[in-house]
Amino acid sequence: MKASYATWLTIGIFSLSWAAEETLAELPPGTYEMLKEEATEVLQIEVTGVNSVGENEIGQDPLQRFICTAKVTGIEGSSGEVAIGDEINFETWTVKPHQRENFVGPAIPPEIPAGWRGKVYLNPPEQNSVVGENGSALELAAYGRSFEAESKLLLKRRRLLPFRR
């Protein structure tokens, strides 16, 4: 059965519009990796608390912000101000469920619960930061790609280790 020229044209236009819509929502290729490389703090952490910050009216800011409190369990890179055993605060965010469909922007961070363990890429807060106004909350360095859960880290390590009998 042959498809008509109009059918193929319709499929092509639909595919292009869908692809364009998808690419607008992400950063250019390699951006997240570059942001991770430039992070001033690359830490192994265990999240001990998560607090919502600034409830907004529905329809205003599509982001819901949180301050996570975490214990530093390891350091892979640091500006020298953090030590193992320190407690840190960092800002994270998510897009409210009713506004996810129309959200255009960088990768949305996963929802991080208390007890979460893994690697996080952080930077000092910017001066105009909504949450880090007092300078105590670090910010995500690579948006939603700033987190690597412990289980993923263990799989990476296993792949790097040679097979032993």
Side-chain angles (χ1 to χ4, degrees):
M1 179 184 251
K2 290 185 176 181
S4 70
Y5 176 75
T7 303
W8 284 112
L9 184 61
T10 303
I11 291 170
I13 291 172
F14 175 75
S15 297
L16 286 174
S17 66
W18 176 79
E21 196 172 298
E22 289 297 313
T23 56
L24 288 176
E26 282 291 335
L27 298 177
T31 302
Y32 294 114
E33 290 76 17
M34 181 186 72
L35 292 171
K36 286 180 177 182
E37 288 174 12
E38 295 174 353
T40 60
E41 306 295 332
V42 182
L43 308 171
Q44 297 287 335
I45 61 167
E46 179 177 356
V47 175
T48 56
V50 179
N51 295 307
S52 178
V53 177
E55 286 293 324
N56 293 309
E57 295 293 323
I58 293 176
Q60 289 183 351
D61 187 359
L63 303 183
Q64 175 59 56
R65 291 173 174 80
F66 300 91
I67 292 288
C68 293
T69 303
K71 180 181 175 184
V72 176
T73 59
I75 299 173
E76 292 188 24
S78 177
S79 62
E81 297 178 14
V82 179
I84 293 175
D86 283 357
E87 185 174 271
I88 62 165
N89 292 317
F90 64 92
E91 174 186 352
T92 187
W93 53 275
T94 190
V95 176
K96 296 174 184 174
H98 65 277
Q99 294 183 330
R100 284 184 183 224
E101 185 176 312
N102 298 322
F103 179 75
V104 176
I108 299 170
E111 293 186 26
I112 302 297
W116 184 91
R117 294 177 59 93
K119 184 192 305 187
V120 64
Y121 296 83
L122 301 168
N123 284 325
E126 294 179 15
Q127 289 182 329
N128 60 354
S129 171
V130 174
V131 179
E133 290 175 351
N134 62 4
S136 63
L138 297 165
E139 293 182 345
L140 302 179
Y143 304 100
R145 301 289 188 334
S146 296
F147 299 95
E148 293 180 13
E150 188 173 66
S151 60
K152 287 184 181 179
L153 295 173
L154 291 174
L155 287 174
K156 281 183 183 178
R157 287 185 189 140
R158 285 185 191 143
R159 281 187 219 137
L160 296 174
L161 293 175
F163 179 72
R164 294 184 183 176
R165 289 185 176 196

